[in-house]
Amino acid sequence: MWDFPFLPNQASTFAAEVDAFYFALVGVTAFFTIAIYAMIWWFSVRYRRGKKADRSNAPTSNHLLEAVWIIIPLGISLAIFGWSAKIFFEIKTPPQDAMQVHAIGKQWMWKFVNEDGKYEVNELHVPVGRAVEIKMISQDVLHDLYFPAFRTKQDVLPGRYTTLWFEATTPGTYHMFCAEYCGLLHSGMIGKVHVLTQDDYDAWLADAGGSATASSGGGSGNALVDGAKLFEEKVCHTCHKSEATAIAPTLVGVYGTDVQLQDGTTVTVDDAYIRESIKNPGAKIVAGYQPAMPTYEGQITEEQIVQLIAYIKSLK
Amino acid sequence: MPAEHYLNVKYGLKSWLLTKDHKRIAMLYLISVTVMFALGGLFAGLVRLELITPGGDFLSADAYNKAFSAHGIIMVFFFLIPAVPAIFGNFLIPIQIGAKDLAFPRINLLSWYLYIIGALLGISAILAGGVDTGWTFYPPYSSQYSQSHVLLAGLGAFIAGFSSILTGLNFVVTIHKMRAPGMTWFRLPLFVWAHYATSLIMLLGTPVVAITIVLLVVERLFGVGIFDPSIGGDPVLFQHLFWFYSHPAVYIMILPAMGVQSELVATFSRRRVFGYSFVAFSSLAIAIIGFVVWGHHMFVSGQSMYAGLVFSILTMLVAIPSAVKTFNWALTMYKGSISYETPMIYAIGFLGLFVIGGLTGLFLGAMGLDIHLHDTYFVVAHFHYIMVGGTVMGFMGGLHYYWPKMSGRMYPDGWGRLSAMIIFVGFNLTFFPQFIAGYLGMPRRYYMYDPDFHIWNIMSTAGATVLAIGYMMPLFYMAWSWKWGRPAGPNPWGAKGLEWTTQSPPTTFNFDETPIWNEEAYDYDPEEAEAEYEREFGTIN
């Protein structure tokens, strides 16, 4: 309790620059606050009523002064804008080769699925020194995934994927918060992010136990396996076979490629497209096919869609 | 005091509830807004008490969520928006421009009734079990998931909105059409300019939030998919509509207080406000640019990166007129004849807190940093520096400045200064630690929090206690002065302006005959003020 922390841990590639920017702004704020207060203080003492002072020809306006205190703050604020825009683009633009993680927010827990299909709840293990991109979606209301030590956060919306990325620089365990009010246990929607050295991370990956119970509905503990099972349960496999049929295109090797649509446009097969095609199959039909697929809207959870995506991604 | 004035011209409840006198309506607002402030403060107290410890041990999570929602809804819709305009604007604008009343006295009374209906609906939502959405009502939580009384509270805000629209309309028409002969636009007190700019926002912005609330109600009641994606809506759309009003609304809250600030600095420095026309036009600039910055609330909402860029640069621009005002106020004191009665203590407090509040706004308008700060206690601290450090300081300053005019009597100035200083200290102790907790990463609206943030929350709650004491003191000495205060006379502060040429309290029609105004605004001479002081008291050093 008698601890006076001022800064959160610096544990991502952004953190140092965000902090430097913050301290620059603290400096600007301190400068102007002190300058204004010094001015008021000086005038208050010097021109106190009853105190002898030169009050002759007191000016009531000065265009040059007005210009100065329009232009200087404008210059400062534009400089602030420029610096902040640079940081903003860095934080908002994940690198191409980032490790892919899925996150699902729901009242009131975070569920993660990593590249190998491993589940985690309210915990996330990541390797140090490697870019991690998290694709996030909400099962219900708005949430926001926030890692103070990485200086980044992003709202998690129902209905579409948003992304957040970071590259952790220092092994350790850091806070994970929900930053968008989401109802009763909003403040309980918290967890930990564990930044591990590559060796520790590999060991953690190899350890099959531990998080097996994390999957819901008695799943296997791996999203790829659950996705494959779901692919049969939802009878996807009756039309989407390993070779293209007259009814449906194959899904093997399709992830990440561009496919041509009926209307002549092309679309990249990514998470958002797969999700849309499950929920609203008629929206973007692949060229050469009829809209034969039924909608799964209302019959599938966001988590199941993530499992299917993980499975489809693994089809090579 | 005049034998007959607006307070004693008629007696009885009916004479108040059916009054068309802008001054009596202002007094009705003063009472009702003060009650709402106390109620909102009570909920703030519950929130701060819960946050003394990191665990959840005073309220339940549900009660906590309802307490911070009630605090926000009451303070925003039923205190901050009406506080300065509906009380002091109502009372003073007609007198300051030399008119008998506002242009539409009946509509003015209607505004008060709408406010009261809105406030009663808000209170009934709380009594019925509360609302747990926060004052921002973000869907789909508010439309599909919350089990609380969203409709009642939303309806209350909706109806109170019309009160605000009608007040704005009344002010615009009054300022355009009812100025006394000689009271040209550039002789208007800056208080009137600030209210003019405010009224434009009320008129143009408030209908948008009314529509937004209706859409929310339609989704919640009838399941029409507008904001909830599971039925075909878009939650980010709500945020755009909501902030299109609610960002300009923060200027509705602060501009009138800035108007008060101009009056106070001029009067107690015995100086014309430095750069009068710059201060006047900066109010309009804030009102206009303020309409195009709403997206800075949404840098992490899923809004496009490039939209964020545009909103950020516009946000940087809206800071400039506020900076212009601040420098001009400070320079008004140069070569002044400065005295330190209670209103001036508030004015000095306002200036310093507003500088911090305004500059920390740049932290949040700067996208790269806002990603980290968004929805943390840094935001909470920032807007309390503007809303409490700015608006409430302006409100209290205005109350202490105009009280002699409104009541005809003086309150004890020593008590006034003491409470002003207690409020200043309590305020900083409450809200400064929240900047630090916010940068550390403490999210807002958290019922329980990590022990890392503990010490800053202890300080904040301690400060809130001090602040509460400061706020309660005026209740006592103001009430005392109502009966026993020394009669103030027409112009207790030696101030310039038409309102100080009338009796205190003014008669029903303010002036015996239409005044003719031949002076510039704030026609002070600090040397003359000194000479007068010396004749009366001699020199002090």
Side-chain angles (χ1 to χ4, degrees), chain B residues 185-266:
Chain B
W185 281 93
F186 289 98
R187 285 178 177 170
L188 288 173
L190 290 164
F191 181 85
V192 177
W193 273 100
H195 276 78
Y196 185 76
T198 308
S199 302
L200 294 179
I201 309 174
M202 286 172 160
L203 270 174
L204 298 174
T206 319
V208 178
V209 80
I211 293 164
T212 313
I213 295 173
V214 169
L215 292 174
L216 188 71
V217 167
V218 166
E219 177 164 299
R220 189 173 167 92
L221 269 185
F222 308 115
V224 179
I226 300 163
F227 304 126
D228 180 1
S230 70
I231 46 177
D234 183 351
V236 180
L237 172 65
F238 176 89
Q239 297 173 29
H240 278 292
L241 292 171
F242 179 83
W243 290 114
F244 182 82
Y245 165 73
S246 294
H247 191 79
V250 309
Y251 299 114
I252 292 180
M253 303 176 212
I254 190 68
L255 274 168
M258 289 170 156
V260 171
Q261 175 73 4
S262 295
E263 302 299 307
L264 300 185
V265 174

Side-chain angles (χ1 to χ4, degrees), chain A residues 79 100 115 137 222 250 262 295 315:
Chain A
Q100 299 291 315
E115 246 174 1
I137 195 156
N222 187 296
T250 177
Q262 260 181 349
T295 174
L315 294 174

Side-chain angles (χ1 to χ4, degrees), chain B residues 80-81 83-85 189-202 247-263 278-291 318 321-322 325 329 350 354 386-387 390-392 394-395:
Chain B
L80 288 166
I81 289 175
V84 177
L190 290 164
F191 181 85
V192 177
W193 273 100
H195 276 78
Y196 185 76
T198 308
S199 302
L200 294 179
I201 309 174
M202 286 172 160
H247 191 79
V250 309
Y251 299 114
I252 292 180
M253 303 176 212
I254 190 68
L255 274 168
M258 289 170 156
V260 171
Q261 175 73 4
S262 295
E263 302 299 307
F278 286 89
V279 178
F281 281 115
S282 64
S283 289
L284 289 181
I286 288 173
I288 293 164
I289 306 172
F291 265 111
V318 82
S322 298
K325 278 180 190 288
W329 287 325
F350 175 103
F354 181 71
I386 299 287
M387 296 290 107
T391 306
V392 181
F395 172 79

Side-chain angles (χ1 to χ4, degrees), chain A residues 14-26:
Chain A
F14 319 127
E17 190 174 8
V18 170
D19 287 351
F21 183 48
Y22 170 70
F23 282 117
L25 285 183
V26 169

Side-chain angles (χ1 to χ4, degrees), chain A residues 1-8 18-19 21-22 25-26 29 32-33 36-37 39-40 43-44 47-52 54-56 58-62 65-66 69-70 73-74 77-78 80-81 84-85 87-89 91-92 107 140-142 144 146 148 151-155 157-160 175 177-184 186-187 190, chain B residues 61-62 65 68 132 138-141 145 229 239 270-271 274-275 278 299-302 305 309 312-313 316-317 320 324 326-328 330-331 333-340 348 351-352 355-356 359 363 366-369 371-372 374-376 424 436 439-441 443-448 450 452 454-456 458 527 530 533-534 539-541:
Chain A
M1 177 176 136
W2 299 111
D3 192 18
F4 294 82
F6 282 91
L7 280 184
V18 170
D19 287 351
F21 183 48
Y22 170 70
L25 285 183
V26 169
T29 304
F32 279 101
T33 308
I36 296 268
Y37 254 91
M39 198 150 91
I40 302 172
F43 294 156
S44 296
Y47 300 112
R48 182 179 168 187
R49 189 170 305 156
K51 186 167 168 123
K52 284 262 174 274
D54 176 21
R55 293 181 173 84
S56 58
T60 56
S61 77
N62 182 329
L65 257 182
E66 302 284 348
W69 63 48
I70 288 171
L74 188 65
S77 59
L78 290 181
I80 290 173
F81 168 78
S84 90
I87 300 174
F88 185 66
F89 275 94
I91 298 182
K92 286 281 188 182
Q107 287 175 324
D140 38 50
V141 301
L142 299 176
D144 184 298
Y146 177 31
R151 310 290 188 273
T152 188
K153 70 161 71 71
Q154 171 62 46
D155 277 11
L157 310 177
R160 74 179 158 102
H175 292 304
F177 294 131
C178 176
E180 181 66 60
Y181 177 67
C182 57
L184 188 68
H186 169 51
S187 67
I190 58 175
Chain B
D62 185 48
N65 292 345
F68 79 68
D132 67 348
Y138 272 16
Y141 185 70
Y145 290 85
Q239 297 173 29
R270 294 291 189 270
R271 290 269 278 122
F274 194 86
F278 286 89
F299 291 145
V300 300
S301 70
M305 191 158 75
L309 210 63
S312 178
I313 199 161
M316 296 298 153
L317 295 184
I320 307 301
V324 166
T326 307
F327 289 123
N328 279 303
L331 219 68
M333 294 169 73
Y334 173 62
K335 290 197 171 185
S337 165
I338 306 168
S339 63
Y340 305 97
I348 291 172
L351 213 45
V355 172
I356 297 177
L359 284 164
F363 289 57
M367 303 159 288
L369 188 52
I371 290 179
H372 176 55
H374 180 83
D375 267 333
T376 66
F424 184 81
I436 300 168
Y439 198 78
L440 274 176
R444 61 193 287 207
R445 297 173 167 179
Y446 259 34
Y447 163 61
M448 293 187 281
D450 192 272
D452 284 3
H454 194 181
I455 189 69
W456 306 115
I458 293 175
E527 288 184 292
E530 285 298 316
Y533 183 87
E534 204 173 316
T539 45
I540 57 168
N541 62 331

